[in-house]
Amino acid sequence: MDFIRTEITAVDFYRDNQKADVFLLINTNRSGGGGRQYQLIFSGQQNIHKGRADTLYVNNKQTDTDFEVREKLTRFIKLGLAPFVAKTIAGEEVEINMKTDSDMLEDTLQESVDPWNYWVFNMGSDANIELEELSSEINFGGDININRITDKWKISLSGRIDERLRRTIQKEPRVDDNGDPVLDGDGNQIIDEVVNNFDVSEFGFSHQLVKAISPQWSYGYDITGRQNTRFNYKFQASFRPAVEYNFFPEAVQNSRFLRVNYGVEVRNNNYVEETIYGALDETRVLHSLRASLGLNQRWGNLEVGYRFRNYLDDFNFWSTGLNIRAEVRITGNFSFYVRAEGNYVKDQIYLASGDFTEQDILSGRVTLPSAYNIDTRFGFNYRFGSNLNNFVNRRFFGRANFVGND
């Protein structure tokens, strides 16, 4: 926001959007090429601008840097504001450059014919290392993604592998068989170091194919495979054909959507440890219903998701869940947000039998039985004072990007 305010000085940016002459709503969606598409909705609210509206779209490539994204976004915001500014006194001082680089035009013409036929390939890896005196943790992984997305088709293939290596050192005073301390030559109790090593491996792949048969109906399938030792899966493979209905056409998906998805899934589970139900390998069939609602309006944004599933061979195994994400502006100065997810679980068929050590549990190597899980975060914000302070001053900004303790 600081960059936009410093680049666009012909207008004042109001903290209270209800008092502004022009309201700008920015929606974003990921495009088929891996980049992002921004939808800019300009709405005149007051004075001579009331009732005037316009919408622009900004497409960014996956390879664009943050600077390139914000520079292009700012340029389109300028274009969208130009008709509004032209009707004010400030328009007399604004200069618009309508020249375009010939090389840019040539690149645009070349891009209209795609030699890749909309296929996009992406490979990457990442690592995280944390070191302390008595513990260390190393996480590393890699992934590959291949997709082709058009208005009618959605095809994707992906794979991911992760490895987590954790090492802890516990210092324990040495005692003899009678429980008495063991001393060294100087009379000090000997301290032993007990080293614990933990290794958690995960890998998985997925393939999805979706075909649109109307602006609101689509069908397709998902194929997945994964290893997850924390959930006792040596390997799990699944196939889920499904149909989906969107109550709103895809043309307005940036602003609102309500999708209902139903599918039947076949799962083959191969377990690391025998489960509490006595299984080491099993194939189960289940069905699931998923619904998602999304609204992105001037008052804020709201996303609600719901799911229900149960195994068809035993209706006693089922689960349901609800999640809500909302950022709502009640007035121009008062807003609140909420992130909440809750699940009621009665289908933990993967739970391993047997006893586990405290270290197994604390390190996250195993999953404990639980009938439910809830995760919430919420808050509010009230701002008052000047609505016209557009100065940007970044002196003494931040903590030099350090995340630890000063």
Side-chain angles (χ1 to χ4, degrees):
M1 188 61 190
D2 288 346
F3 180 82
I4 296 175
R5 292 196 309 187
T6 55
E7 292 297 308
I8 304 177
T9 57
V11 301
D12 290 319
F13 292 86
Y14 274 77
R15 301 289 183 183
D16 186 348
N17 60 13
Q18 295 180 352
K19 295 181 179 180
D21 290 333
V22 180
F23 177 79
L24 171 59
L25 175 65
I26 303 178
N27 297 322
T28 180
N29 255 325
R30 188 166 295 279
S31 63
R36 286 199 170 273
Q37 182 189 77
Y38 295 89
Q39 181 190 43
L40 311 181
I41 303 176
F42 299 84
S43 302
Q45 298 187 131
Q46 301 185 63
N47 302 322
I48 59 175
H49 307 297
K50 190 172 183 178
R52 184 184 183 93
D54 197 6
T55 302
L56 299 178
Y57 292 90
V58 186
N59 293 298
N60 289 101
K61 300 176 183 178
Q62 185 183 21
T63 54
D64 287 348
T65 63
D66 290 343
F67 176 84
E68 291 172 323
V69 171
R70 69 180 185 178
E71 193 276 334
K72 189 175 184 179
L73 185 61
T74 303
R75 188 166 69 249
F76 272 78
I77 292 176
K78 291 179 182 179
L79 291 172
L81 289 174
F84 296 95
V85 176
K87 294 181 177 293
T88 67
I89 297 177
E92 298 177 1
E93 304 297 326
V94 173
E95 180 180 350
I96 299 177
N97 183 3
M98 297 294 287
K99 295 180 180 180
T100 304
D101 190 347
S102 59
D103 293 337
M104 185 181 299
L105 282 175
E106 188 174 318
D107 291 341
T108 303
L109 291 175
Q110 290 177 350
E111 287 182 359
S112 62
V113 179
D114 186 0
W116 291 95
N117 194 25
Y118 306 113
W119 284 99
V120 179
F121 303 83
N122 185 61
M123 293 183 293
S125 64
D126 54 83
N128 171 250
I129 300 175
E130 296 183 16
L131 301 175
E132 295 184 11
E133 181 182 1
L134 299 178
S135 67
S136 63
E137 184 169 329
I138 302 175
N139 299 280
F140 58 92
D143 61 84
I144 181 171
N145 295 276
I146 304 171
N147 66 70
R148 182 181 188 270
I149 298 177
T150 66
D151 289 341
K152 299 295 183 182
W153 288 93
K154 183 178 181 180
I155 306 171
S156 66
L157 301 97
S158 63
R160 172 85 191 174
I161 184 170
D162 289 289
E163 193 77 17
R164 178 187 175 195
L165 306 175
R166 181 172 174 81
R167 184 173 185 265
T168 62
I169 300 175
Q170 293 177 296
K171 294 188 175 183
E172 298 181 355
R174 186 184 298 182
V175 295
D176 58 22
D177 295 337
N178 297 320
D180 298 324
V182 178
L183 307 180
D184 60 16
D186 297 326
N188 299 317
Q189 186 174 9
I190 298 175
I191 304 298
D192 293 322
E193 292 188 349
V194 180
V195 179
N196 298 294
N197 293 298
F198 308 98
D199 181 4
V200 178
S201 300
E202 297 180 11
F203 75 85
F205 66 87
S206 64
H207 164 53
Q208 182 183 75
L209 185 145
V210 180
K211 174 70 168 65
I213 54 179
S214 76
Q216 291 164 286
W217 281 101
S218 58
Y219 69 92
Y221 64 80
D222 288 280
I223 297 175
T224 62
R226 64 169 176 163
Q227 177 203 55
N228 189 318
T229 54
R230 180 172 178 267
F231 288 97
N232 196 27
Y233 290 127
K234 183 182 293 184
F235 189 75
Q236 180 193 67
S238 69
F239 172 65
R240 182 181 184 269
V243 294
E244 183 176 276
Y245 181 77
N246 188 358
F247 287 84
F248 300 109
E250 289 295 308
V252 298
Q253 65 178 336
N254 285 327
S255 300
R256 59 187 184 275
F257 60 82
L258 175 57
R259 299 187 179 96
V260 177
N261 181 292
Y262 175 79
V264 177
E265 183 176 353
V266 180
R267 289 184 179 179
N268 177 261
N269 302 323
N270 187 266
Y271 300 110
V272 178
E273 303 284 346
E274 184 177 289
T275 69
I276 57 177
Y277 300 102
L280 273 173
D281 187 275
E282 62 180 350
T283 299
R284 308 288 290 267
V285 180
L286 60 126
H287 68 158
S288 58
L289 178 70
R290 305 169 183 171
S292 56
L293 168 69
L295 298 173
N296 200 342
Q297 305 295 321
R298 293 171 62 179
W299 46 261
N301 59 75
L302 170 69
E303 292 187 12
V304 180
Y306 171 78
R307 70 173 178 85
F308 173 84
R309 73 181 182 209
N310 75 270
Y311 287 87
L312 295 178
D313 61 337
D314 191 339
F315 280 79
N316 291 317
F317 293 116
W318 61 277
S319 67
T320 185
L322 178 71
N323 70 77
I324 300 174
R325 294 173 177 266
E327 294 182 12
V328 179
R329 186 180 297 272
I330 304 298
T331 67
N333 295 321
F334 179 72
S335 62
F336 77 88
Y337 73 90
V338 60
R339 308 277 191 279
E341 179 174 337
N343 295 278
Y344 187 73
V345 183
K346 295 191 68 176
D347 61 354
Q348 290 182 298
I349 63 172
Y350 50 81
L351 293 175
S353 61
D355 298 325
F356 296 98
T357 66
E358 182 181 357
Q359 291 293 342
D360 287 332
I361 297 172
L362 294 177
S363 65
R365 294 181 65 186
V366 297
T367 300
L368 299 178
S370 176
Y372 65 88
N373 59 74
I374 299 174
D375 184 11
T376 62
R377 183 179 182 184
F378 53 88
F380 71 90
N381 183 70
Y382 182 75
R383 184 182 182 90
F384 56 93
S386 173
N387 268 316
L388 289 173
N389 190 335
N390 295 310
F391 295 105
V392 177
N393 189 333
R394 297 177 66 86
R395 297 179 181 90
F396 278 58
F397 179 74
R399 301 170 60 246
N401 293 325
F402 278 93
V403 296
N405 295 322
D406 280 336

